[in-house]
Amino acid sequence: MKERTPLIAGNWKMHHGGQSGFALASELVAAVGGLDDVDVVIAPPFTVLAAIGTETENTRVELAAQNAHAKLEGAFTGEISCGMLVEAGCKWVILGHSERRQLFGDTNDGVREKVQAAMAAGLRPIVCIGETLAQREAGETMEVVLGQLDAVTDLISVKAGTAAVAYEPVWAIGTGRVAGPEQAQEVHAAIRGRLAEHKASLGAQTRILYGGSVKPENAAGLLECEDIDGALVGGASLKVDSFVKIVQIAREGAERSSAN
Ligand code: 13P
């Protein structure tokens, strides 16, 4: 039986930044209202966070941002602090997404600073880690993934279970090329092992999500794996039907697991 509550998070990336985002959030709130036993998080663009925050308040849908700045405030044109995200209604923040690492220069040290700021502000980080195709082919997957994890392990161990880790192989993001359940489970087990080496409760309580082309068609196989506690969903989170289906699949899995 899995003891961790499944977590399904939708990363909207740069989509639905206005009225369509508000509408999608409202539909989701209505659709997942009765689906207990699964935690549901959505990460819309900054521009609609506060508006959606009023819609998701006191509902089963929790709000995440897709990034944050590490400083509290200051002359950082174009940036948003963790405190501001809390004010907008966020409970979570996605940090270290591979798109930020690849396109916007986020480094392990930078992600570490952001995780520290998020935890200090009371936000729960979803820390993304994952290897590129070249790194996988060079046999460097574990080294890369565990190195990215090691950069934040001591920070997230202070309140074990508060942060989530998302394993997102870069080659599976937006490509339709999903890691097979065995392939994903192998890395998830290594991640959990590393967390447990640091502190047993950190290994036991941290939810490790898989991300990369998760769809209703492949979610069940992934979510059944022992060390996969949920999904960070990109494309399939942009439509209410596909996202809710993934939430339902996670719930059915949790029910089966508690019956065993
Ligand atoms: P896709 O589900 O579109 O592959 O995106 C995954 C992702 O990057 C989620 O953060």
Side-chain angles (χ1 to χ4, degrees), residues 11 13 97 99 168 172-175 211-215 232-236:
N11 175 8
K13 307 191 181 184
H97 191 279
E99 286 151 16
E168 299 206 308
I173 295 177
T175 58
S213 297
V214 176
K215 309 263 176 299
L232 182 54
V233 185

Side-chain angles (χ1 to χ4, degrees), residues 2 20 64-65 232:
K2 281 194 193 173
S20 69
L232 182 54

